[in-house]
Amino acid sequence: MQIGIVGKPNVGKSTFFSAATMAPAEIAAYPFTTIKANKGVAYARGKCPHVDFEVQCVPRNAICDGGVRHIPIEMLDVAGLVPDAWQGRGLGNMFLDDLRQADVLIHVVDASGATDIEGNSVPLGSHDPVEDVEFLKNEIACWMRGILEKGWDKAARQAYQTGQRIEIVIHEKLTGLGVTESQISAAMRDVELSSNPLSWSPEDMLKLMHHIRKYAKPIIVAMNKADMADEETLERIKKAADGMAEATCAEAELALKKAAKGGLISYKPGDSSFGVVSGVKLSDGQKAALEKISEEISRYDGTGVQKCIEKAVYELLNMISVYPVEDESKLTDHDGRVLPDVFLVPNGTTARELAYKIHTDLGDTFIRAINVRTHRTVGSDYILLNNDVISIVSRK
């Protein structure tokens, strides 16, 4: 799974990325600071089953902290997007190509209105950030339409003459973007188009791409610099984002993580408060900075960075956490580690599909599975539930 961090230049994308991953990224107040995509690992929190089973887990692929598993997710911070990027303007081609395999996008918007559409600094509140929400969705849809249009007439004519489902043709053209045929079919149901694809206008195709994008590259808006925005603006951004938006203060999150790493404060990502470590003496500057951050995060019940990540994973992608084990009585793998691994899988995943995710041979030789919580044997078509602990039985 991959989360793409997107947006126009100079809105705090790289700060958000660094705050989410603690990976180094060049941060500066001018456009196109990011040239090559930055890669890092963010984390989505989930409840560790060791609490329910009253055992001590031995995590391998995700840290457990006080009964909370921090599940790793790849994050990509790409070059800033400017209008007409889909036509190659700015670093558009690089930006869009980097996003091909992203499953979900976090669109970082300067909610304070201090960055114009090109990414240049302007007076606070002089730019309407709602425009940014709409322009990014349109840029991605135009990019997808451009890919679809290459050789479209020939492919559409052949499909129409032979009776081939047009969804298959579209899938073949967009497969490099990670778009599935089921996502295309869902979008086709949303849009009323002529049964003859040769008659589709550029506007028809753009409308269809908007709907395909909703399924294949869903977006949550990070309303960054929210502390400098008024509530009316935040509400308008949220409405433009169809309700999928979160107020964020990426600079505050990054500062808190650095302070925690330096042993100055106790803070866990996603918390709405922090505390100064006992015995630590802060300078006047540090005290003032932390007091300001405390005011900011109390207003929004946290910095919003972790909320964005988890909404992207659990709400937009509808993922669940599953814990496979080999020995259902001891909750161990073949090396004796207790509850070693956690997998994020789409809601609706079956026991056999989980087996394939673990290893192809395990899926091929699948016999049955055991739901460790209920002690019941389940078949290959058992639909996994969030936080299931599952043992796969296969032909050795």
Side-chain angles (χ1 to χ4, degrees), residues 61-100:
N61 75 340
I63 298 168
C64 181
D65 181 12
V68 177
R69 282 287 177 111
H70 295 265
I71 308 167
I73 299 160
E74 185 178 357
M75 184 169 277
L76 190 71
D77 169 35
V78 303
L81 188 71
V82 295
D84 296 326
W86 66 278
Q87 294 180 316
R89 187 165 177 265
L91 300 176
N93 292 330
M94 183 187 301
F95 165 92
L96 296 166
D97 282 344
D98 283 338
L99 287 185
R100 284 179 176 270

Side-chain angles (χ1 to χ4, degrees), residues 207-278:
K207 185 177 181 181
L208 178 59
M209 291 305 102
H210 272 290
H211 283 267
I212 291 177
R213 196 278 307 154
K214 285 183 181 180
Y215 291 105
K217 310 283 182 190
I219 297 173
I220 179 171
V221 173
M223 301 183 290
N224 203 34
K225 307 178 187 179
D227 55 305
M228 295 186 287
D230 58 73
E231 293 300 326
E232 187 269 338
T233 298
L234 296 180
E235 284 302 314
R236 289 194 303 109
I237 297 173
K238 193 170 184 178
K239 183 177 180 181
D242 300 319
M244 191 52 67
E246 192 68 46
T248 64
C249 301
E251 282 190 357
E253 177 73 12
L254 183 58
L256 289 175
K257 282 189 173 179
K258 286 182 176 180
K261 187 177 181 180
L264 302 179
I265 65 171
S266 57
Y267 172 72
K268 294 181 180 179
D271 283 356
S272 58
S273 62
F274 59 89
V276 177
V277 173
S278 177

Side-chain angles (χ1 to χ4, degrees), residues 260-298:
K261 187 177 181 180
L264 302 179
I265 65 171
S266 57
Y267 172 72
K268 294 181 180 179
D271 283 356
S272 58
S273 62
F274 59 89
V276 177
V277 173
S278 177
V280 170
K281 292 184 178 181
L282 301 175
S283 67
D284 290 342
Q286 289 172 327
K287 288 178 182 178
L290 289 174
E291 285 175 5
K292 182 181 178 182
I293 291 173
S294 181
E295 292 176 4
E296 291 176 8
I297 66 176
S298 63

Side-chain angles (χ1 to χ4, degrees), residues 25 47 77 113 172 231 293 317 342 368:
K47 181 183 177 182
D77 169 35
E172 288 175 351
E231 293 300 326
I293 291 173
L317 293 181
V342 55
R368 62 184 180 276

Side-chain angles (χ1 to χ4, degrees), residues 33-275:
T33 305
T34 301
I35 303 299
K36 293 184 178 180
N38 298 307
K39 289 186 178 181
V41 177
Y43 297 88
R45 295 170 298 178
K47 181 183 177 182
C48 182
H50 90 255
V51 177
D52 298 332
F53 288 94
E54 298 181 343
V55 295
Q56 180 59 56
C57 63
V58 184
R60 182 173 63 169
N61 75 340
I63 298 168
C64 181
D65 181 12
V68 177
R69 282 287 177 111
H70 295 265
I71 308 167
I73 299 160
E74 185 178 357
M75 184 169 277
L76 190 71
D77 169 35
V78 303
L81 188 71
V82 295
D84 296 326
W86 66 278
Q87 294 180 316
R89 187 165 177 265
L91 300 176
N93 292 330
M94 183 187 301
F95 165 92
L96 296 166
D97 282 344
D98 283 338
L99 287 185
R100 284 179 176 270
Q101 297 308 313
D103 300 289
V104 63
L105 307 177
I106 295 178
H107 178 193
V108 180
V109 168
D110 179 357
S112 74
T115 315
D116 69 16
I117 200 69
E118 301 283 348
N120 301 301
S121 296
V122 295
L124 193 71
S126 62
H127 174 74
D128 187 356
V130 171
E131 293 181 19
D132 302 342
V133 178
E134 299 300 335
F135 113 82
L136 184 129
K137 290 189 289 188
N138 193 63
E139 288 293 330
I140 295 176
C142 286
W143 168 56
M144 295 173 68
R145 182 183 63 180
I147 295 172
L148 183 66
E149 286 178 335
K150 293 178 181 178
W152 172 255
D153 287 347
K154 180 180 179 181
R157 183 178 295 107
Q158 183 176 0
Y160 186 65
Q161 291 174 347
T162 61
Q164 182 185 31
R165 293 172 59 246
I166 196 62
E167 290 90 339
I168 297 175
V169 175
I170 297 173
H171 177 249
E172 288 175 351
K173 289 186 168 292
L174 299 183
T175 188
L177 307 184
V179 177
T180 66
E181 193 173 327
S182 62
Q183 290 167 342
I184 295 168
S185 296
M188 292 284 288
R189 290 192 292 269
D190 294 341
V191 183
E192 293 184 6
L193 295 174
S194 167
S195 59
N196 181 2
L198 288 168
S199 68
W200 294 357
S201 67
E203 291 73 22
D204 289 334
M205 296 177 77
L206 183 61
K207 185 177 181 181
L208 178 59
M209 291 305 102
H210 272 290
H211 283 267
I212 291 177
R213 196 278 307 154
K214 285 183 181 180
Y215 291 105
K217 310 283 182 190
I219 297 173
I220 179 171
V221 173
M223 301 183 290
N224 203 34
K225 307 178 187 179
D227 55 305
M228 295 186 287
D230 58 73
E231 293 300 326
E232 187 269 338
T233 298
L234 296 180
E235 284 302 314
R236 289 194 303 109
I237 297 173
K238 193 170 184 178
K239 183 177 180 181
D242 300 319
M244 191 52 67
E246 192 68 46
T248 64
C249 301
E251 282 190 357
E253 177 73 12
L254 183 58
L256 289 175
K257 282 189 173 179
K258 286 182 176 180
K261 187 177 181 180
L264 302 179
I265 65 171
S266 57
Y267 172 72
K268 294 181 180 179
D271 283 356
S272 58
S273 62
F274 59 89

